[in-house]
Amino acid sequence: MTSPQTTRLLPQAYRPLFADPRFRRLLPALAASDLGDGMSVVAVAWLAIEIAPPGRSGMLLGAALAAYALPGAAGALLFGRWLRRLPAARLLAADSRIRAVLLGCVPLAWALGVLHPVLYVALLAGSSVLHAWGNAGKYALLAGLLPAEQRLAANALVSSSASASIVIGPALAGFLAAAISPAWLIGLDALSFAVLAAQVGRVRGASGAAGQAGGPGTAPVDADRSAAGLHLLRKQPELLGVLALTWFFNFLYGPAEVALPLHVTDDLHAGAGLLGLYWTLFGAGAVLGGLAAGALRRFPLWPVTLTIVAGWGLALVPFGLGAPAAVTLACFTLGGLIYGPFTALSYTLFQDRTPAAWLTTVLAARSAALLTAGPVGTALGGPLIALMGPRGVLAASGIATVVLALVAAVMRVWTSRRVASRLV
């Protein structure tokens, strides 16, 4: 229970949240599951490297990282017909239980000596199949627990927990991996979701807006809305351009995510601690960059967005030049700082250019399209590493991202001139 003295130390906007015992019980469980997923950023990749057959680590690493994300995209699209009307608490509890059981099977299979690469990928894929719906259920449940005037503060706390996990989780995993197998770190992630499932069961009595996870803005993807949104986007070249830029940006990021762990092991001959440090510094930069997004609002959004894309690409190029770890750590930190505002600015472009009545529909289409970008790029990372090596893939990803920004800038100028000529 939160003491009055502790409550008075909180900013005014957050104090009413801790007066609700259901929210007080739920928030630590959500934070624990975020931390578990943060540790799995390192653990999933490191375990794939450990159990891969000789010469196949890149292929298994790409498959494992894709399996940890891509089924969630498929589940968001395929199961909406049956799941979007379920109570939010049931969605969050179901996702938490599935992740707890299947991720918990990873350390069990490792301890028994039967963790074959195919089984590993299958367990990761199964654990993520409802994760998009679980995330939707989380925010819908918060909306039902709290009055409207407290929801923004609650969302900010929960989102900050996810951002902080990117900073703390990889560093903690890198430290623990020196003493225990990464399989046990995945087991800790499973345990965190078991705790979350239990806590959700205690607040399942929430009523009102939490009862449905399929209301506007809460379901991960509604197929009918996606179709209508894509139809509208075809009539809005600028919005279609933003969507295409974001899709390719996320797609080109995927191979770099696969190449980084192998760069640490093969090129730098280092351990999980260094990999955790890379992601921790990236996360810290991204948190600071995200907080700075509001200050960028007064600048033209398109040029700032394209500068971010090009800046992230340039941050990856030193990897391919054989720069020492100290330099690439600084570049990765700078890359996170540059990347941080991108999502907020991308959403703002959609909000500014979309009629209010169509905004939810268009954002549903955006989500449906972007769900595949990162996982597809990740899945391609393995074959590319076999051809180019980790350093080559990191550099190629960076160069291709810079080219993407240049092509988008040229197309933006061409489109603007074409529209202006029509108005003359």
Side-chain angles (χ1 to χ4, degrees), residues 45 106 133 166 171 206 245 256 260 281 335 369 382 392 403 422:
V106 172
W133 287 102
I166 301 174
L245 175 68
L260 183 62
L281 293 176
V403 171
R422 288 179 178 177

Side-chain angles (χ1 to χ4, degrees), residues 25 46 56 109 186 250 289 292-293 314 318 334 373 389 398:
R25 286 195 296 265
W46 209 254
R56 302 297 298 274
I186 296 175
N250 291 349
L314 290 172
L334 179 61

Side-chain angles (χ1 to χ4, degrees), residues 22 28 31 37 50 154 288 323 365:
R22 298 169 300 175
D37 276 346
E50 285 191 358
L288 293 175

Side-chain angles (χ1 to χ4, degrees), residues 19-418:
D20 189 319
R22 298 169 300 175
F23 181 81
R24 288 203 309 267
R25 286 195 296 265
L26 188 60
L27 182 61
L30 291 172
S33 67
D34 287 336
L35 180 60
D37 276 346
M39 290 192 297
S40 288
V41 169
V42 171
V44 167
W46 209 254
L47 185 57
I49 293 172
E50 285 191 358
I51 68 172
R56 302 297 298 274
S57 56
M59 297 292 290
L60 179 58
L61 180 55
L65 292 176
Y68 202 54
L70 191 55
L77 294 168
L78 296 177
F79 300 143
R81 183 176 182 179
W82 298 278
L83 297 180
R84 65 188 176 206
R85 298 190 184 281
L86 289 181
R90 286 184 63 186
L91 283 176
L92 180 55
D95 172 54
S96 300
R97 288 175 185 141
I98 288 174
R99 288 176 79 77
V101 171
L102 294 182
L103 291 178
C105 287
V106 172
L108 178 62
W110 180 85
L112 295 174
V114 296
L115 190 60
H116 187 275
V118 175
L119 175 61
Y120 181 49
V121 171
L123 289 172
L124 292 176
S127 74
S128 69
V129 73
L130 291 186
H131 202 41
W133 287 102
N135 191 61
K138 173 173 67 177
Y139 284 97
L141 179 59
L142 291 174
L145 289 176
L146 302 166
E149 63 272 14
Q150 295 178 15
R151 291 173 189 167
L152 178 59
N155 290 338
L157 274 179
V158 173
S159 299
S160 296
S161 169
S163 297
S165 73
I166 301 174
V167 179
I168 301 171
L172 182 59
F175 173 77
L176 293 176
I180 61 175
S181 167
W184 297 116
L185 298 179
I186 296 175
L188 291 176
D189 193 11
L191 179 62
S192 73
F193 278 100
V195 171
L196 178 58
Q199 289 294 75
V200 171
R202 298 178 66 185
V203 299
R204 188 173 286 181
S207 59
Q212 301 293 331
T218 58
V221 178
D222 183 311
D224 294 336
R225 281 188 169 274
S226 296
L230 289 172
H231 178 72
L232 177 65
L233 283 173
R234 286 196 291 267
K235 300 179 179 180
Q236 298 283 343
E238 186 177 23
L239 293 181
L240 201 58
V242 177
L243 180 60
L245 175 68
T246 308
W247 194 95
F248 281 106
F249 189 30
N250 291 349
F251 169 75
L252 292 172
Y253 169 80
E257 187 176 13
V258 180
L260 183 62
L262 293 175
H263 171 65
V264 170
T265 57
D266 296 355
D267 299 330
L268 301 178
H269 307 291
L274 182 59
L275 178 61
L277 183 58
Y278 271 108
W279 285 119
T280 296
L281 293 176
F282 173 86
V287 170
L288 293 175
L291 292 173
L296 298 174
R297 187 64 178 86
R298 61 179 180 266
F299 296 101
L301 294 182
W302 260 107
V304 172
T305 302
L306 293 175
T307 300
I308 289 172
V309 174
W312 165 252
L314 290 172
L316 292 180
V317 173
F319 284 89
L321 302 177
V327 174
T328 55
L329 281 168
C331 289
F332 217 59
T333 307
L334 179 61
L337 184 67
I338 293 169
Y339 179 83
F342 180 81
T343 299
L345 292 175
S346 174
Y347 270 113
T348 302
L349 280 169
F350 268 82
Q351 292 166 342
D352 286 354
R353 271 62 167 182
T354 306
W358 282 93
L359 183 58
T360 304
T361 301
V362 168
L363 291 180
R366 180 187 185 276
S367 297
L370 294 181
L371 279 170
T372 59
V376 170
T378 300
L380 290 177
L384 289 174
I385 288 170
L387 291 174
M388 307 169 62
R391 275 184 177 148
V393 170
L394 285 164
S397 174
I399 293 169
T401 303
V402 174
V403 171
L404 170 65
L406 294 174
V407 170
V410 170
M411 293 187 67
R412 170 71 178 157
V413 171
W414 178 78
T415 302
S416 299
R417 289 180 177 175
R418 186 178 179 185

